[in-house]
């Protein structure tokens, strides 16, 4: 189970286009979310390199992380370091 998280201006890491912690969003988070949805629908492996290969910008990649979990139950929606 692999998840891709974008970093918001408050320092949270979240899945999708909008941070569930404070609602923050950007063109970069939307770009990552769109690419992740497309890659998942194709059954592709999620990684920084795969995101780069499908055209996600370097600016968007600088604001994201990819985390692999053992199970769906161990994955989280928001990281607030």
């Amino acid at each position: 189970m692999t998840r891709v998280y974008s970093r918001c201006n408050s320092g949270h890491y979240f899945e999708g286009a909008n941070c569930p912690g404070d609602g923050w969003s950007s063109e970069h988070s939307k770009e990552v979310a769109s690419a992740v949805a497309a890659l998942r629908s194709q059954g592709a492996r999620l990684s920084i390199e795969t995101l780069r290969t499908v055209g996600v910008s370097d600016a968007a990649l600088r604001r994201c992380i990819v985390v692999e979990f053992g199970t769906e139950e161990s994955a989280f929606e928001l990281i607030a370091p």
Side-chain angles (χ1 to χ4, degrees):
M1 164 53 51
T2 304
R3 300 276 180 103
V4 179
Y5 299 92
S6 292
R7 181 176 51 83
C8 83
N9 281 349
S10 297
H12 307 126
Y13 283 86
F14 62 94
E15 278 192 289
N18 296 81
C19 178
D22 59 16
W24 183 87
S25 183
S26 74
E27 291 305 312
H28 298 307
S29 65
K30 292 174 186 174
E31 179 183 357
V32 169
S34 176
V36 167
L39 288 167
R40 280 196 176 129
S41 72
Q42 297 169 13
R45 183 178 179 277
L46 296 174
S47 70
I48 296 294
E49 191 54 39
T50 304
L51 291 167
R52 182 176 283 116
T53 299
V54 297
V56 174
S57 68
D58 286 337
L61 292 174
R62 283 192 294 272
R63 296 187 70 93
C64 74
I65 60 173
V66 177
V67 180
E68 188 172 4
F69 297 93
T71 65
E72 177 79 28
E73 293 79 28
S74 65
F76 39 80
E77 186 176 293
L78 173 73
I79 306 168

